[in-house]
């Protein structure tokens, strides 16, 4: 492919800053109404609605500015919190009207293009539009300093000259396609090389340009994701201040901190559970509850943007606890030191249990799933007993082993199951230590959970990241709310 530029496989773009993250895009006054609009209080509260408070008067500009700011804040937040954040192509849901319309329009365009190019003489109306669009997309992939590459495109894809060729029936449409493909090969990321080679092997002009447009769209995403990675450090440094500003702006339109009713109820519950605890203890206790959150209850306003992430991490924690419980119960019932020392046995059991737990969210769903887990656990134990382990000879099991193990595993759905309770307490203690201690202090993996070390550390790392970020943005509100609750409680004594 020759020497390719670095990065998106282009040099650093000049002025690649995403702009001032403290600014937001709001409609100009000439395009929006500036009439003062009284805001009435609906029943629900939260950042998506106007909270119960004395009527306020704001302009439509204020409302649109806050709405745009919250959208920007969500994007900044996602980039800062999710280290694996990437833009991806948008695909409408399967069997949706949107997908059907999109496919019908695309199919119609390519069918018309095929018909035009196949007519005698050929008609190049759509072909010219297509070439102009491809030229624009190619130029968009270049950085300001790529003057020679831009010149090469402008000289080769000279639209007025190509139009003259078309009018004189002398247009080599396939020749322009090959130039475009070769040029794409110079600037694409290595991951697109295979697609470029596939395009080079095509001979049908319509299919080539269809593939070219699809590939250019992906190359645009490659460039955008590369630039996100380049500015991530600067973005993270500024995103906390940005989120604070935007959240404060949105909150001021709703009536201030008093409208954070779900957050207040959440913190109050943990203040009552730890009456002598510090603000830090109360906030930490409250935060850990988010990973065992009642599905019917609304999340606190300050964690709404991470609600899906909290539920996902809570599900992973639940699966980790159940997997650890199944492993300990199985090892205890088998009573064989050789199995306890067998790494392959533990890995196989945990892997199969993890597959069976996919999609399980409630204890009722777990109850339905446990009989299958019991069957699988018994099967794996028998296999290792009959074949022996890497650390011991063939073992023997008593006659009622399978029935006894099944009965033990089927009881795990109970929240107060002894082994499950112990595993949950150990997991929570580990999380508490990770969130409350300095990062450089070593944390010991809880007893009996060494086989789950990788997943435990992965989940914990994600929780620590969003907890610290959330505190950086919202700790001021938390302290104000806790102080207010304590004052209200003291005034009633």
């Amino acid at each position: 492919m020759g020497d390719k530029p670095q990065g998106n496989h282009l040099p650093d773009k000049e002025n690649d800053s995403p702009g001032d993250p403290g600014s937001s895009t709001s409609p100009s006054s000439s395009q929006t109404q500036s009439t003062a609009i009284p805001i009435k209080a609906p029943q629900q509260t939260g950042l998506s609605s106007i909270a119960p408070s004395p009527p306020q008067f704001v302009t439509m500009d204020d409302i649109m500015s806050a709405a745009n700011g919250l959208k920007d804040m969500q994007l900044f937040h996602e980039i800062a919190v999710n280290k694996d954040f990437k833009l991806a192509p948008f695909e409408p849901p399967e069997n949706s009207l949107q997908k059907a319309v999109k496919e019908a329009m695309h199919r119609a365009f390519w069918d018309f293009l095929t018909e035009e190019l196949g007519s005698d003489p050929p008609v190049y109306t759509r072909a010219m539009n297509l070439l102009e669009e491809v030229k624009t997309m190619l130029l968009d992939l270049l950085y300001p300093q790529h003057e020679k590459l831009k010149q090469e495109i402008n000289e080769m894809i000279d639209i007025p000259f190509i139009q003259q060729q078309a009018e004189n029936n002398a247009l080599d449409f396939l020749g322009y396609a090959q130039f475009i493909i070769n040029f794409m090969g110079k600037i694409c990321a290595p991951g697109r090389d295979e697609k470029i080679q596939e395009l080079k092997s095509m001979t049908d002009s319509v299919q080539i340009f269809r593939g070219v447009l699809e590939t250019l769209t992906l190359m645009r995403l490659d460039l955008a994701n590369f630039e996100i990675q380049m500015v991530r450090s600067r973005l993270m440094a500024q995103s906390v201040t940005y989120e604070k500003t935007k959240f404060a702006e949105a909150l001021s339109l709703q009536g201030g901190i008093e409208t954070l009713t779900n957050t207040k109820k959440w913190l109050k519950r943990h203040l009552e559970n730890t009456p002598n605890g510090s603000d830090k203890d109360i906030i930490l206790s409250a935060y850990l509850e988010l990973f065992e959150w009642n599905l019917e209850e609304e999340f606190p306003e300050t964690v709404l943007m991470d609600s899906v992430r909290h539920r996902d991490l809570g599900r992973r924690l639940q699966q980790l606890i159940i997997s650890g419980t199944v492993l300990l119960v199985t090892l205890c019932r088998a009573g064989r030191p050789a199995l306890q020392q067998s790494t392959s046995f533990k890995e196989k059991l945990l892997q199969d249990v993890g597959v069976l737990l996919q999609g399980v969210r409630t204890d009722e769903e777990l109850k339905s799933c446990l009989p299958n887990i019991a069957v699988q656990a018994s099967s794996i134990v028998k296999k290792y007993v009959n074949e022996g382990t890497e650390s011991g000879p063939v073992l023997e099991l008593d006659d009622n082993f399978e029935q006894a193990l099944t009965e033990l595993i089927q009881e795990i759905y109970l929240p107060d199951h002894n082994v499950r309770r112990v595993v949950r307490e150990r997991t929570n203690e580990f999380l508490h230590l990770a969130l409350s201690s300095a990062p450089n202090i070593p944390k010991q993996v809880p007893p009996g959970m060494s086989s789950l070390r990788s997943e435990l550390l992965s989940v914990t790392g994600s929780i620590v990241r969003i907890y610290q970020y959330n505190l950086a943005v919202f700790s001021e509100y938390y302290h104000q709310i806790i102080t207010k609750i304590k004052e209200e409680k003291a005034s009633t004594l």
Side-chain angles (χ1 to χ4, degrees):
M1 300 301 296
D3 294 334
K4 294 185 181 182
Q6 299 299 311
N8 174 43
H9 297 258
L10 296 170
D12 289 349
K13 192 170 185 178
E14 293 176 356
N15 302 320
D16 61 354
S17 172
D20 179 6
S23 64
S24 62
T25 304
S26 61
S28 64
S29 58
S30 62
Q31 296 175 321
T32 59
Q33 300 177 11
S34 295
T35 307
I37 302 173
I39 304 297
K40 296 183 179 179
Q43 296 299 315
Q44 289 186 331
T45 62
L47 285 178
S48 59
S49 62
I50 305 302
S53 62
Q56 302 177 60
F57 289 86
V58 295
T59 66
M60 184 61 76
D61 282 342
D62 293 331
I63 296 173
M64 295 306 298
S65 178
N68 290 331
L70 287 177
K71 291 178 182 177
D72 293 340
M73 183 175 76
Q74 190 165 12
L75 177 60
F76 272 70
H77 178 87
E78 189 65 24
I79 294 173
V81 173
N82 182 3
K83 63 182 178 64
D84 298 319
F85 175 83
K86 283 187 177 180
L87 297 173
F90 170 73
E91 287 295 335
E94 288 293 332
N95 303 319
S96 66
L97 177 60
Q98 186 179 8
K99 186 176 182 66
V101 171
K102 176 184 176 183
E103 290 178 347
M105 291 179 65
H106 284 202
R107 185 165 52 250
F109 175 83
W110 296 112
D111 287 347
F112 278 124
L113 180 62
T114 302
E115 182 179 337
E116 287 183 348
L117 294 179
S119 62
D120 188 16
V123 177
Y124 292 108
T125 304
R126 284 182 174 80
M128 291 303 301
N129 292 335
L130 184 58
L131 277 173
E132 287 189 59
E133 182 175 353
V134 169
K135 179 179 179 180
T136 299
M137 295 177 76
L138 286 172
L139 291 172
D140 285 345
L141 289 170
L142 300 178
Y143 289 92
Q145 63 267 31
H146 293 148
E147 294 298 334
K148 289 185 178 180
L149 294 177
K150 291 180 183 179
Q151 183 179 351
E152 184 178 351
I153 293 176
N154 288 323
E155 289 178 353
M156 190 62 188
I157 310 179
D158 184 341
I159 300 300
F161 178 68
I162 296 174
Q163 184 67 53
Q164 290 180 10
Q165 290 180 314
E167 292 171 354
N168 295 316
N169 198 24
L171 175 60
D172 181 8
F173 197 54
L174 188 58
Y176 284 105
Q178 293 301 327
F179 163 78
I180 290 168
I181 295 171
N182 289 332
F183 190 89
M184 289 167 60
K186 295 179 182 179
I187 64 173
C188 72
R192 305 298 175 197
D193 285 347
E194 184 177 347
K195 182 62 178 178
I196 297 298
Q197 293 302 320
E198 180 184 335
L199 291 173
K200 286 183 176 181
S201 67
M202 294 180 179
T203 56
D204 181 78
S205 298
V206 174
Q207 291 302 317
I208 289 174
F209 272 95
R210 188 168 189 166
V212 163
L213 280 181
E214 292 173 353
T215 307
L216 284 173
T217 300
L218 294 176
M219 288 172 64
R220 276 180 164 180
L221 286 174
D222 292 341
L223 179 60
N225 286 321
F226 168 72
E227 291 187 332
I228 286 173
Q229 292 300 320
M230 291 299 98
V231 302
R232 180 183 293 277
S233 58
R234 280 187 289 157
L235 202 62
M236 290 184 66
Q238 300 174 21
S239 60
V240 169
T241 301
Y242 178 67
E243 283 198 41
K244 282 183 176 181
T245 302
K246 290 302 174 184
F247 189 85
E249 289 176 2
L251 201 60
S252 67
L253 290 176
Q254 301 186 54
I257 194 171
E258 292 298 326
T259 64
L260 301 179
T261 53
N262 292 333
T263 303
K264 181 177 180 180
K265 183 170 69 172
W266 170 56
L267 293 173
K268 184 177 182 180
R269 181 163 58 243
H270 290 273
L271 187 150
E272 292 172 349
N273 292 337
T274 55
N276 299 320
S278 65
D279 286 9
K280 181 179 178 180
D281 293 333
I282 295 167
I283 296 168
L284 178 53
S285 173
Y287 205 83
L288 288 174
E289 184 197 6
L290 296 174
F291 305 103
E292 295 180 342
W293 197 257
N294 186 336
L295 295 177
E296 304 300 322
E297 189 174 354
E298 292 184 10
F299 268 92
E301 296 85 352
T302 54
V303 298
L304 276 178
M305 283 196 294
D306 284 320
S307 58
V308 173
R309 187 173 285 109
H310 284 114
R311 292 197 190 282
D312 179 62
L313 288 170
R315 177 186 56 78
R316 288 175 62 187
L317 275 175
Q318 175 76 353
Q319 290 184 4
L320 186 148
I321 291 169
I322 298 302
S323 296
T325 304
V326 171
L327 176 61
L328 292 177
V329 167
T330 303
L331 289 173
C332 181
R333 181 62 190 90
R336 298 294 188 273
L339 286 181
Q340 295 176 357
Q341 298 169 11
S342 173
T343 301
S344 61
F345 166 76
K346 295 176 185 177
E347 290 177 348
K348 174 62 176 172
L349 179 60
L350 290 173
Q351 179 183 8
D352 288 5
V353 170
V355 171
L356 293 172
L357 286 175
Q358 290 296 318
V360 173
R361 298 184 181 277
T362 66
D363 285 335
E364 283 303 311
E365 292 175 349
L366 176 61
K367 184 178 181 179
S368 302
C369 178
L370 285 174
N372 292 332
I373 290 178
V375 170
Q376 190 65 14
S378 297
S379 173
I380 296 172
V381 170
K382 287 180 180 179
K383 176 180 181 297
Y384 275 80
V385 164
N386 292 334
E387 297 178 359
T389 68
E390 69 262 33
S391 57
V394 173
L395 306 173
E396 293 184 1
L397 296 170
D398 53 78
D399 296 335
N400 66 343
F401 167 78
E402 186 171 354
Q403 180 181 350
L405 179 60
T406 299
E407 291 174 355
L408 289 172
I409 289 179
Q410 286 181 328
E411 294 177 353
I412 292 175
Y413 82 95
L414 298 169
D416 59 351
H417 182 277
N418 284 338
V419 180
R420 178 178 170 181
R421 176 178 51 79
V422 170
V423 174
R424 182 173 62 250
E425 289 174 353
R426 290 176 179 176
T427 302
N428 287 340
E429 288 172 0
F430 183 81
L431 285 173
H432 192 284
L433 179 63
L435 293 174
S436 60
S437 62
N440 58 344
I441 297 178
K443 284 83 175 173
Q444 183 177 2
V445 175
M449 300 190 69
S450 297
S451 301
L452 294 159
R453 182 178 184 276
S454 179
E455 175 65 1
L456 177 62
L457 295 182
S458 175
V459 175
T460 301
S462 297
I463 291 175
V464 169
R465 187 179 299 110
I466 61 173
Y467 170 71
Q468 291 177 342
Y469 192 88
N470 186 273
L471 275 188
V473 177
F474 298 109
S475 60
E476 180 181 342
Y477 295 104
Y478 295 151
H479 290 302
Q480 290 181 34
I481 292 172
I482 292 172
T483 299
K484 183 68 173 178
I485 295 172
K486 289 179 178 179
E487 290 174 351
E488 292 174 350
K489 184 177 180 180
S491 65
T492 60
L493 297 179

